[in-house]
Amino acid sequence: MDSSFHFYVSNSFPCCVRGYHRKVSHTIRPPRPPLRAFRPAIAVAASIAVILITICPIATFAASGATAAPPRISTPAKFPRAPTSGFAPDGQTLFAPIVYLAPPGPARASRAIAILNRQLDFQRKISFHPKLAPALQEVVDLLPPRQSTMIRAAALYSKPAIPWRDEPDGTHQICVTGRPSDDDYLYTLSPDWRSPEEPARFSGVFGLKPSADSTPANISSVTGTLAGELMIDTYGIGALVDACADALREVHGDLRPPWDSSPGAFNHHDRAALDKFHRQMPHLAAKFDHYFKFNNLLDEFNSPAGPIVLLNVDAEVRQDALRKYPLLYDFYRKVVPAVTATSVILDSHGNFWMREAFDHGHIRVTVMIRGGLLTPFNAAMQPAGGSIALNEIARGSYRTLASAQVTSLAMNFGLANVEFATDYRRDLGSVTFVNRMDAVPQLIAPPGVHQVMDLIAGDFLRALATGNGGMNSNLTSRRLPNGIYDFSGGVTAQLNYSPTLELLARIGDAIATKHNDRVRAEERAFGEELFDAFVADYNDARPAIIALDLDKDKQQEKSK
């Protein structure tokens, strides 16, 4: 089972989710598929505000959703706001943003430490030490590897060996629960869906429902849903957005001339940022030095409105450093040089809010920050509109556009125009991302081969993008009256049966199955290695974090 499964949880499967109070139908996209294989490296390279490492996939959603387009932003009246003006002082601890994980009030930094301590303990178990109970392991063994589940979903529906739970409307379900178990997070097979009632508990469901034109003898298409719910006693997405807003203020070098004249030059701005990183987070910085080579980190420009920081990462994985993870090493050594992938977040004017790319081994991430606020930029990497305080956004919309291709024998194969539209909404107690695929992805292939590939995969892609309103997904967090946070969300899509694609998937499965468990073990070990370094730096920084309370008390005394 994919260790990130528990974060994609949903109320979009009403026949299963009885404990969730449905007010509005919400959706959010899953992580962009073309960049799935490279996201761990991209996330690491982009983590100047390293607090995001502790919140993994949720951070991706929170940070992405907050980059909404200016024409559709409104500001709520009351929820707490992080500082929004100016960059953070150079001497301030890089861990200062965690203060916003706790509600406002006395001893906020100390309370934030207690909250994050609980989250880190939970995060280690659920992210790096998943464990399957024997009955669930038997079911997982009957399912195809995760990379071909969607392709083979219609065929799976009629597989009698899988212990499906049958619903009156013909839906076949597998229900799962999760809970901490010593140092692990244990997933077990459940006879039905039950909404979790305690912190750190999870409930999930995988369901397949035949389409209206299917017959018992011919299941040609199904609606697939991956859904669930997670309870935690730490913080919700709103607090993460506030922490992200404050973390942007810490992304800078020295903010001094000589200013950069064009993007991409490694100079004193980059060295100042890296020096600060090494001083304040030496354990994690050492891991970065070991695994990555930075050709550029950021650029700093002067403007009438003040300094502009272009977080402009160009990093390469040091392949020899991955030798301790043989399968990851083999992947980067053999596959990566042939792969290119891009993903951008755009507003309604076509301006960029974030650009990500994996270009033949180069990891690239670009974000613009002006006065500590996220800022749109154009293709020439120049400011293209007003800056935004992430924590002040009540609602907004944005688009993501992704592509990926592999070069083999001087020919390019892949997908382009993988496009999603996302709506973001926040109020005093909840945050919701609503996402939908609203265009059919385009196949990349040489002439002649392209026609064959379109015959093989065209109907599947068209159904994925347009069937039942198109692929949709969601993520919501809401604060319950007892102070516990409920995370829910999921992914739903129409999945057509394609015999040719299934044959290709079976061939791929035969190769992948030999390495799946080992690959996942290496992925988790690599992630936990970085996580351990972050925790070591966090523990060392606790006195500086607590001092933020003392500084606030002194400021209040002066104001009196």
Side-chain angles (χ1 to χ4, degrees), residues 4-19:
S4 66
F5 168 75
H6 44 267
F7 283 105
Y8 308 117
V9 291
S10 171
N11 62 306
S12 59
F13 209 51
C15 64
C16 291
V17 184
R18 291 191 284 269

Side-chain angles (χ1 to χ4, degrees), residues 11 36 51 84 190 213 247 291 323 407 492 500 522 559:
N11 62 306
R36 178 66 182 260
I51 183 175
T84 57
S190 176
D213 58 351
Y291 286 112
R323 286 183 181 273
T407 302
T492 301
T500 307
E522 287 189 3
S559 64

